Amino acid sequence: MFNLIDILVTPSLETNNSNSSLTRNAATRDFWCARPEHLAAVPVDVWRNLTQPAGQQCRVRAAPYEHLTLDGFFEYFRSVPPNATTDGHLGCEAYEYDDTVFGHTLVAEFGLVCDRGHLMSIVEMCFLAGAALGSVGSGWISDQFGRRHTLMGFALIQGLTGKQGNTLS
């Protein structure tokens, strides 16, 4: 019986580790206003230093970005004083994220920053509600069918859905 448990549980632990999935998928990460496509060659640190006010990740200095070329970008910001007033700032249309630590997460996928940051609490609430309902439901199912059958069934379902989720992504 141990071999069957090892076969069923090991893939589910590798693919669907729910204990750390919320932490990993919803991790707080560094972000900044996205560069326009035609200015993607501007290094990120230069973009952030020239366009974003200190401590305001959700705003970008107002500039005619759609009309600036790569060379024109640097010329424009050389001519504008670095301490321009906050009246010259706009909200970001899109964001870029630091992927060096966590890679792709829920925060990046759904843009849960700035004006959408409050939605992160809804994600956490759904995760915890699912865990609570799952524990109550699995207790009732194990009373009906026994702990061994319930554990094997849930491990099989988790392993299959975890493997399928990995093939879809």
Side-chain angles (χ1 to χ4, degrees):
M1 190 56 150
F2 177 73
N3 291 338
L4 181 61
I5 291 173
D6 194 38
I7 291 170
L8 292 176
V9 174
T10 302
S12 68
L13 291 176
E14 292 173 0
T15 60
N16 223 1
N17 187 355
S18 62
N19 291 336
S20 66
S21 65
L22 182 65
T23 305
R24 186 173 52 249
N25 286 325
T28 304
R29 7 180 347 183
D30 195 19
F31 65 93
W32 52 90
C33 293
R35 298 166 287 182
E37 286 184 32
H38 67 284
L39 295 175
V42 175
V44 171
D45 58 334
V46 172
W47 170 261
R48 292 178 73 179
N49 287 334
L50 293 177
T51 62
Q52 290 190 280
Q56 294 186 24
Q57 292 176 299
C58 302
R59 303 190 61 71
V60 66
R61 288 176 65 180
Y65 297 112
E66 63 276 355
H67 300 296
L68 294 176
T69 62
L70 189 57
D71 293 331
F73 173 81
F74 294 105
E75 279 299 316
Y76 178 83
F77 282 104
R78 263 190 234 126
S79 65
V80 175
N83 296 335
T85 63
T86 56
D87 297 338
H89 292 99
L90 305 170
C92 300
E93 293 180 19
Y95 300 96
E96 293 180 32
Y97 301 89
D98 181 9
D99 292 336
T100 56
V101 176
F102 293 107
H104 192 70
T105 64
L106 291 174
V107 172
E109 185 172 342
F110 295 106
L112 301 177
V113 294
C114 297
D115 58 336
R116 295 176 52 108
H118 67 282
L119 296 175
M120 194 60 220
S121 62
I122 295 173
V123 171
E124 293 170 350
M125 181 189 68
C126 290
F127 178 80
L128 294 173
L133 291 174
S135 64
V136 171
S138 64
W140 180 82
I141 292 171
S142 68
D143 287 345
Q144 301 298 314
F145 301 104
R147 288 181 293 196
R148 181 182 297 162
H149 292 102
T150 301
L151 177 64
M152 291 300 127
F154 284 155
L156 180 64
I157 291 169
Q158 188 175 14
L160 292 175
T161 57
K163 286 290 185 192
Q164 185 171 359
N166 282 347
T167 60
L168 293 177
S169 59

